[in-house]
Amino acid sequence: MPHPYFDRFYHRVNMIEAEMELIALGEGAIPILETLFNGEARNEYGIPYRNLGLPLQCAMEVVKRLGPTAKPLEHYLRAEVPTWGRVAVLCLGSMGTLEEETIVVLADALRSDDNLVVSEVPYVLIRYGAGEHPAVVAALSQSEKARRFFNKTLEHLKSRGE
């Protein structure tokens, strides 16, 4: 059965309106979004919306804007880091806090070939005080690129007084 929000995520004209409606629901959006992330929500052909790209991307945009309200969805976003990279990292960066498993996943993402991911992860880790976590230290010791991005981010944040 078509979903009143997720079907609108297919159409650029309606997607922002649907995203804004979900954001306005605040905590009420969490169970709705969870059905997309867990694959329960399906289109009229029985295909999970999460498998169709744009609906999942729109859901992540909603999560990012919900910020800490979306904390119950953290484990779904953590699972999206390998596939959705920077978009998932940005969502995790809006959570308010990071679970231990998320820190480990983000530390692993420091080894990514994707420079956009490697450039965003240090900000999230440093912001939440996880820059000295053992998994982060290990990842930084194994990747010169990750160390460069991490140190640049650290310098930038210090120059801004953060």
Side-chain angles (χ1 to χ4, degrees), residues 139-155:
L140 293 175
S141 73
Q142 296 169 4
S143 170
E144 176 62 34
K145 177 172 70 171
R147 267 193 312 281
R148 264 195 335 270
F149 276 113
F150 193 90
N151 290 333
K152 272 187 172 181
T153 302
L154 202 51
E155 288 173 28

Side-chain angles (χ1 to χ4, degrees), residues 36-95:
L36 185 139
F37 285 112
N38 69 19
E40 211 175 280
R42 297 171 179 265
N43 69 9
E44 63 186 312
Y45 304 105
I47 300 169
Y49 286 101
R50 66 164 286 106
N51 295 354
L52 300 172
L54 197 52
L56 183 58
Q57 183 175 354
C58 290
M60 286 194 276
E61 286 298 322
V62 171
V63 165
K64 190 168 53 173
R65 285 166 179 76
L66 285 172
T69 301
K71 182 75 174 162
L73 302 173
E74 182 174 351
H75 64 286
Y76 293 113
L77 296 159
R78 180 172 57 235
E80 296 301 334
V81 170
T83 306
W84 282 90
R86 184 173 183 267
V87 175
V89 171
L90 290 170
C91 289
L92 290 166
S94 74
M95 294 281 114

